[in-house]
Amino acid sequence: MEIKLVPVRPEDKGTLINLYQLYEHDFSRFTNRDIDKNGRYEVNIDFYWEGDERWNPFYIEVSGTIAGFLVVLFENMDIDPDPTHVIYDFMILQKYRRTGIGRAAAIKAFKMYNADWAVTQMENNTPAISFWRNVIKSFKEDNFTERYRPERKKYIQELSTKT
Protein backbone atom coordinates (compact mmCIF):
# COMPACT_ATOMS: atom_id res chain seq x y z
CA MET A 1 0.00 0.00 0.00
CA GLU A 2 1.63 3.23 -1.20
CA ILE A 3 0.69 6.43 0.64
CA LYS A 4 1.45 9.74 -1.08
CA LEU A 5 0.90 13.41 -0.36
CA VAL A 6 -0.06 15.00 -3.67
CA PRO A 7 -0.24 18.80 -3.98
CA VAL A 8 -3.74 19.98 -4.86
CA ARG A 9 -3.67 22.00 -8.07
CA PRO A 10 -6.03 24.94 -8.59
CA GLU A 11 -7.90 23.02 -11.29
CA ASP A 12 -8.65 20.28 -8.71
CA LYS A 13 -10.18 22.74 -6.24
CA GLY A 14 -13.69 21.30 -6.79
CA THR A 15 -12.62 17.89 -5.51
CA LEU A 16 -11.07 19.44 -2.42
CA ILE A 17 -14.25 21.45 -1.77
CA ASN A 18 -16.20 18.19 -1.94
CA LEU A 19 -13.83 16.64 0.60
CA TYR A 20 -14.27 19.70 2.82
CA GLN A 21 -18.01 18.97 2.87
CA LEU A 22 -17.24 15.59 4.43
CA TYR A 23 -14.70 17.17 6.78
CA GLU A 24 -17.16 19.81 7.96
CA HIS A 25 -19.83 17.12 8.42
CA ASP A 26 -17.50 15.06 10.62
CA PHE A 27 -16.27 18.13 12.47
CA SER A 28 -19.73 19.62 13.07
CA ARG A 29 -20.19 17.55 16.24
CA PHE A 30 -17.38 19.67 17.74
CA THR A 31 -18.14 23.01 16.08
CA ASN A 32 -21.96 22.88 16.00
CA ARG A 33 -21.88 24.25 12.44
CA ASP A 34 -25.05 23.87 10.41
CA ILE A 35 -25.55 23.38 6.71
CA ASP A 36 -26.94 26.18 4.57
CA LYS A 37 -30.34 26.17 2.84
CA ASN A 38 -28.83 24.15 -0.03
CA GLY A 39 -27.72 21.36 2.30
CA ARG A 40 -24.03 22.26 2.16
CA TYR A 41 -21.46 23.69 4.51
CA GLU A 42 -20.14 27.05 3.46
CA VAL A 43 -16.52 26.48 2.42
CA ASN A 44 -14.22 28.98 0.73
CA ILE A 45 -10.70 27.84 -0.09
CA ASP A 46 -10.01 30.17 -3.03
CA PHE A 47 -7.29 31.93 -1.01
CA TYR A 48 -5.18 28.75 -1.15
CA TRP A 49 -4.31 29.65 -4.74
CA GLU A 50 -4.52 33.45 -4.80
CA GLY A 51 -0.80 34.14 -4.51
CA ASP A 52 -0.58 33.43 -0.79
CA GLU A 53 2.15 30.80 -0.61
CA ARG A 54 1.50 30.12 3.08
CA TRP A 55 -1.26 27.62 2.21
CA ASN A 56 -0.25 24.15 0.99
CA PRO A 57 -3.10 21.68 0.44
CA PHE A 58 -2.37 18.02 -0.28
CA TYR A 59 -4.48 15.01 -1.13
CA ILE A 60 -3.64 11.92 0.85
CA GLU A 61 -3.58 9.14 -1.72
CA VAL A 62 -3.47 5.41 -1.10
CA SER A 63 -2.41 3.44 -4.18
CA GLY A 64 -3.68 6.29 -6.40
CA THR A 65 -7.05 6.75 -4.62
CA ILE A 66 -7.84 9.83 -2.55
CA ALA A 67 -8.19 8.81 1.11
CA GLY A 68 -8.24 12.30 2.62
CA PHE A 69 -6.42 15.61 2.65
CA LEU A 70 -4.24 17.84 4.76
CA VAL A 71 -3.31 21.49 4.64
CA VAL A 72 0.05 22.79 5.82
CA LEU A 73 0.14 26.48 6.75
CA PHE A 74 3.44 28.35 6.91
CA GLU A 75 2.43 30.56 9.84
CA ASN A 76 3.64 34.18 9.83
CA MET A 77 5.65 33.59 6.66
CA ASP A 78 5.25 37.26 5.77
CA ILE A 79 7.22 38.38 8.87
CA ASP A 80 9.28 35.32 9.80
CA PRO A 81 11.99 33.94 7.49
CA ASP A 82 11.69 30.60 9.32
CA PRO A 83 7.92 30.18 9.83
CA THR A 84 6.32 27.59 12.05
CA HIS A 85 4.55 24.96 9.96
CA VAL A 86 1.04 24.13 11.10
CA ILE A 87 -1.15 21.16 10.21
CA TYR A 88 -4.12 23.43 9.59
CA ASP A 89 -6.68 20.85 8.43
CA PHE A 90 -6.40 17.07 8.35
CA MET A 91 -9.03 14.55 7.31
CA ILE A 92 -9.05 10.84 6.54
CA LEU A 93 -12.17 9.34 4.98
CA GLN A 94 -14.07 6.98 7.30
CA LYS A 95 -13.19 3.90 5.23
CA TYR A 96 -9.46 4.52 5.81
CA ARG A 97 -9.52 5.45 9.50
CA ARG A 98 -7.78 3.20 12.03
CA THR A 99 -5.66 1.61 9.29
CA GLY A 100 -2.42 3.54 9.87
CA ILE A 101 -2.93 5.73 6.81
CA GLY A 102 -3.51 8.90 8.83
CA ARG A 103 -0.41 8.26 10.94
CA ALA A 104 1.70 7.59 7.84
CA ALA A 105 0.38 10.70 6.08
CA ALA A 106 1.05 12.92 9.11
CA ILE A 107 4.61 11.64 9.42
CA LYS A 108 5.17 12.13 5.68
CA ALA A 109 4.04 15.74 6.08
CA PHE A 110 6.41 16.31 9.01
CA LYS A 111 9.30 14.83 7.00
CA MET A 112 8.57 16.99 3.94
CA TYR A 113 9.77 20.17 5.63
CA ASN A 114 12.80 20.94 7.79
CA ALA A 115 10.83 23.11 10.23
CA ASP A 116 9.30 23.78 13.61
CA TRP A 117 5.74 22.45 13.73
CA ALA A 118 2.54 23.07 15.64
CA VAL A 119 -0.59 20.92 15.66
CA THR A 120 -3.74 22.20 17.37
CA GLN A 121 -6.94 20.50 18.49
CA MET A 122 -10.14 21.79 20.06
CA GLU A 123 -10.46 20.65 23.69
CA ASN A 124 -13.72 18.81 22.96
CA ASN A 125 -12.26 16.87 20.02
CA THR A 126 -10.84 14.05 22.13
CA PRO A 127 -10.35 11.66 19.18
CA ALA A 128 -8.10 14.24 17.47
CA ILE A 129 -6.17 14.94 20.67
CA SER A 130 -5.53 11.23 21.14
CA PHE A 131 -4.59 10.74 17.47
CA TRP A 132 -2.07 13.60 17.38
CA ARG A 133 -0.53 12.73 20.75
CA ASN A 134 0.03 9.15 19.57
CA VAL A 135 1.37 10.13 16.14
CA ILE A 136 3.76 12.74 17.47
CA LYS A 137 4.94 10.56 20.36
CA SER A 138 5.66 7.65 17.98
CA PHE A 139 7.46 10.00 15.60
CA LYS A 140 9.45 12.11 18.08
CA GLU A 141 9.35 9.91 21.22
CA ASP A 142 9.33 12.48 24.03
CA ASN A 143 10.99 15.22 21.97
CA PHE A 144 7.92 17.48 21.73
CA THR A 145 5.92 19.76 23.98
CA GLU A 146 2.22 20.08 24.60
CA ARG A 147 0.39 22.97 26.12
CA TYR A 148 -3.21 23.91 26.72
CA ARG A 149 -4.50 27.39 25.88
CA PRO A 150 -7.60 27.88 28.03
CA GLU A 151 -8.56 31.19 26.36
CA ARG A 152 -8.79 29.35 23.01
CA LYS A 153 -9.85 25.99 24.49
CA LYS A 154 -7.18 24.25 22.43
CA TYR A 155 -4.34 21.81 22.89
CA ILE A 156 -1.14 22.48 20.95
CA GLN A 157 1.69 20.03 20.31
CA GLU A 158 4.97 21.52 19.13
CA LEU A 159 7.86 19.62 17.59
CA SER A 160 10.77 20.16 15.26
CA THR A 161 12.03 18.31 12.21
CA LYS A 162 15.05 20.57 11.82
CA THR A 163 18.31 18.71 11.42
Side-chain angles (χ1 to χ4, degrees):
M1 171 169 58
E2 183 182 18
I3 299 168
K4 287 185 180 178
L5 300 182
V6 179
V8 179
R9 302 171 307 181
E11 56 268 26
D12 297 327
K13 176 176 69 171
T15 302
L16 186 57
I17 287 174
N18 291 339
L19 289 170
Y20 261 105
Q21 291 298 312
L22 301 172
Y23 174 77
E24 290 294 340
H25 172 265
D26 287 353
F27 211 49
S28 68
R29 70 183 185 165
F30 306 111
T31 63
N32 292 316
R33 278 193 71 193
D34 288 317
I35 55 175
D36 64 18
K37 64 182 179 183
N38 297 312
R40 296 180 54 83
Y41 292 94
E42 186 176 328
V43 175
N44 179 2
I45 58 172
D46 291 338
F47 58 95
Y48 287 177
W49 297 281
E50 292 177 344
D52 187 346
E53 296 177 8
R54 296 178 303 156
W55 299 97
N56 300 275
F58 296 90
Y59 291 128
I60 299 166
E61 289 188 357
V62 177
S63 302
T65 300
I66 296 173
F69 72 92
L70 66 87
V71 178
V72 177
L73 168 65
F74 301 162
E75 190 173 63
N76 297 324
M77 187 173 109
D78 50 341
I79 58 170
D80 187 347
D82 186 20
T84 298
H85 290 43
V86 176
I87 302 286
Y88 188 78
D89 286 329
F90 185 91
M91 193 271 287
I92 300 294
L93 294 170
Q94 292 281 344
K95 171 183 174 180
Y96 297 101
R97 291 183 189 169
R98 299 192 173 273
T99 65
I101 291 168
R103 175 183 302 272
I107 291 170
K108 278 186 177 286
F110 291 143
K111 289 181 175 180
M112 263 194 322
Y113 300 102
N114 191 23
D116 291 327
W117 287 87
V119 185
T120 305
Q121 307 90 44
M122 298 169 61
E123 73 177 354
N124 62 342
N125 189 348
T126 55
I129 294 166
S130 177
F131 171 80
W132 286 108
R133 282 178 178 161
N134 288 331
V135 167
I136 294 168
K137 187 169 181 69
S138 72
F139 178 57
K140 294 300 286 184
E141 296 178 359
D142 287 323
N143 195 12
F144 71 96
T145 60
E146 179 177 287
R147 59 191 165 101
Y148 176 70
R149 297 214 26 209
E151 75 282 5
R152 297 188 67 204
K153 297 183 179 180
K154 294 194 178 213
Y155 286 90
I156 303 167
Q157 294 85 26
E158 296 169 311
L159 64 143
S160 181
T161 57
K162 290 181 177 179
T163 53

